[in-house]
């Protein structure tokens, strides 16, 4: 009798963990984009505000990324700072790095670790959103 109960608990918490981990980036109220200005050594004052469709596409790509618990140490400043404001006025900064001409990895101010974009379609989607 104990074995089925233990198995049920393991399955429940395993599935709950997968669901929780797969939706780390919630629906946001506002998302703004700032690009790193190498000459001035700051993120640009002028930022792009993403519309609802762009935010949804971005959230989908971010949630589908691979998560590595270890924080990568990057030798250069992130190319893009994405600031997400949630409905409860919490803010999260996402820092994206461009490698070999594509955005491929990012970190979050609120979550430890490094996220890696899974495939070229995700990288292309990020590039399209940021180039609008």
């Amino acid at each position: 009798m104990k074995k089925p109960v233990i198995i049920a608990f393991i399955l429940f918490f395993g599935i709950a963990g997968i669901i929780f981990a797969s939706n780390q980036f919630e629906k946001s109220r506002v998302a703004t984009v700032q690009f790193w200005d190498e000459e001035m050594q700051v993120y640009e004052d002028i930022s792009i505000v993403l519309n609802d469709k762009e935010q949804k596409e971005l959230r989908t790509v971010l949630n589908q990324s691979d998560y590595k618990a270890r924080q990568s140490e990057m030798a250069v400043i992130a190319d893009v700072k994405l600031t997400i404001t949630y409905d409860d006025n919490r803010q999260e900064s996402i820092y994206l790095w461009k490698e070999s001409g594509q955005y491929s990895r990012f970190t979050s101010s609120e979550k430890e670790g490094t996220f890696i974009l899974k495939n070229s379609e995700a990288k292309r989607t990020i590039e399209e959103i940021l180039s609008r």
Side-chain angles (χ1 to χ4, degrees):
M1 184 77 169
K2 286 185 176 183
K3 217 178 220 183
V5 172
I6 292 171
I7 292 171
F9 274 118
I10 291 171
L11 285 173
F12 173 76
F13 287 110
I15 291 171
I18 290 169
I19 291 169
F20 176 73
S22 66
N23 289 314
Q24 296 186 28
F25 300 95
E26 310 163 27
K27 184 175 181 186
S28 55
R29 183 168 44 91
V30 177
T32 59
V33 178
Q34 293 175 289
F35 294 91
W36 179 252
D37 185 333
E38 187 66 38
E39 190 174 300
M40 300 290 290
Q41 294 290 298
V42 294
Y43 286 100
E44 295 176 347
D45 287 334
I46 301 170
S47 59
I48 301 166
V49 178
L50 301 180
N51 64 38
D52 289 341
K53 180 181 179 235
E54 292 166 334
Q55 286 186 56
K56 183 178 179 187
E57 290 173 350
L58 180 66
R59 193 170 48 252
T60 299
V61 169
L62 296 179
N63 281 326
Q64 291 174 350
S65 63
D66 287 331
Y67 171 73
K68 306 291 182 198
R70 185 166 177 248
Q71 186 83 30
S72 292
E73 295 294 326
M74 303 301 284
V76 295
I77 304 278
D79 298 294
V80 174
K81 177 182 177 185
L82 172 67
T83 304
I84 299 173
T85 304
Y86 297 106
D87 290 333
D88 60 0
N89 287 329
R90 271 184 312 117
Q91 286 193 329
E92 179 174 13
S93 295
I94 306 290
Y95 297 92
L96 293 127
W97 280 267
K98 203 170 199 176
E99 298 172 339
S100 302
Q102 292 185 315
Y103 293 101
S104 57
R105 81 180 52 232
F106 63 96
T107 60
S108 165
S109 63
E110 300 298 312
K111 299 167 183 71
E112 291 293 321
T114 302
F115 298 84
I116 299 169
L117 297 175
K118 281 187 173 184
N119 55 41
S120 58
E121 184 178 331
K123 294 173 186 177
R124 190 171 33 257
T125 300
I126 293 280
E127 184 69 40
E128 288 173 4
I129 291 169
L130 297 179
S131 66
R132 293 180 185 162

